[in-house]
Amino acid sequence: AQSVTQLDSHVSVSEGTPVLLRCNYSSSYSPSLFWYVQHPNKGLQLLLKYTSAATLVKGINGFEAEFKKSETSFHLTKPSAHMSDAAEYFCVVSESGFGNEKLTFGTGTRLTIIP
Amino acid sequence: NAGVTQTPKFQVLKTGQSMTLQCAQDMNHEYMSWYRQDPGMGLRLIHYSVGAGITDQGEVPNGYNVSRSTTEDFPLRLLSAAPSQTSVYFCASSYSAGGGSYEQYFGPGTRLTVT
């Protein structure tokens, strides 16, 4: 069975400082991993995904994440936070290669940007 | 493309009433899913479909029915609404993005309150 743990429910950073949102996963097979962002009262938008290619994945809006199999982690980072980054972020795992669409979501990390 | 559309955006029901949440996509995606989002719990899968005429249960299927008569539409039926079904409901569709990964596209959500 697959699972994902987002280690922080709330992160606050100052504008212009780095962002780190932490995610650990558990999967019996080779996983696909995603980060989604949800702005207030909006649907979810894909930020980036890992699918067993390069371990450092670049996404939209300057975000990137590194897949570390030995640590079962997929942390999301951004060098310099912007006010528009304030949102909720979800780490998601999918056991790929089995033709199913079941994603398992983390409980989310709310990112607050301090002006 | 309109992407994934959901109606209604908001709905208030009384306990025991039934209703259908509509979901449609115009991207010719084979896979469609319904999730509910509750505070502190991330998104949980209710039902999903891998193609027209094929549906299966997710993590929290009780109290909900689905059908998939066309590729485009995937309605979610609440049979007898209960206060525990107060939530935000998201429909998503997906295709194989290669490598066994399944990037999902989300609708804007339906906010349901059951009194």
Side-chain angles (χ1 to χ4, degrees):
Chain A
Q2 59 196 30
S3 66
V4 60
T5 302
Q6 292 184 243
L7 298 167
D8 307 292
S9 59
H10 192 195
V11 170
S12 294
V13 302
S14 297
E15 190 176 17
T17 65
V19 175
L20 170 64
L21 305 184
R22 299 181 294 165
C23 172
N24 286 353
Y25 71 91
S26 172
S27 174
S28 302
Y29 304 98
S30 177
S32 293
L33 293 156
F34 307 80
W35 276 99
Y36 282 85
V37 61
Q38 184 181 30
H39 288 93
N41 301 312
K42 300 287 188 186
L44 280 76
Q45 180 186 19
L46 180 69
L47 270 182
L48 51 80
K49 62 184 177 185
Y50 165 78
T51 57
S52 74
T55 56
L56 183 62
V57 182
K58 293 188 184 301
I60 62 172
N61 300 335
F63 284 94
E64 63 181 37
E66 186 171 7
F67 174 73
K68 291 187 177 180
K69 186 175 182 179
S70 60
E71 298 176 11
T72 60
S73 69
F74 191 57
H75 301 333
L76 181 70
T77 60
K78 183 173 180 177
S80 176
H82 190 272
M83 293 302 294
S84 61
D85 295 328
E88 184 131 23
Y89 292 79
F90 293 95
C91 183
V92 182
V93 64
S94 171
E95 290 182 338
S96 60
F98 290 87
N100 73 69
E101 296 304 297
K102 295 184 182 179
L103 303 183
T104 299
F105 283 75
T107 53
T109 298
R110 183 167 299 280
L111 177 63
T112 299
I113 311 298
I114 304 165
Chain B
N1 286 351
V4 180
T5 58
Q6 292 183 237
T7 56
K9 284 187 169 26
F10 301 94
Q11 183 69 50
V12 179
L13 291 178
K14 294 187 188 304
T15 297
Q17 287 184 316
S18 63
M19 78 159 295
T20 300
L21 308 185
Q22 301 291 345
C23 174
Q25 53 91 9
D26 61 359
M27 298 174 281
N28 202 33
H29 287 169
E30 289 295 321
Y31 304 96
M32 297 186 75
S33 309
W34 275 103
Y35 296 87
R36 59 177 289 172
Q37 183 179 28
D38 301 295
M41 301 188 76
L43 274 71
R44 292 180 293 168
L45 182 65
I46 304 172
H47 285 284
Y48 67 100
S49 168
V50 299
I54 306 169
T55 64
D56 205 349
Q57 296 181 348
E59 181 185 355
V60 288
N62 291 342
Y64 307 96
N65 272 358
V66 292
S67 59
R68 184 97 180 271
S69 55
T70 67
T71 298
E72 294 78 20
D73 300 299
F74 191 44
L76 178 72
R77 296 184 187 84
L78 279 70
L79 309 173
S80 177
S84 61
Q85 294 179 303
T86 294
S87 187
V88 182
Y89 291 84
F90 288 99
C91 178
S93 72
S94 61
Y95 66 104
S96 174
S101 68
Y102 298 92
E103 175 180 346
Q104 300 223 353
Y105 293 79
F106 286 82
T110 295
R111 189 174 295 273
L112 176 68
T113 302
V114 183
T115 60

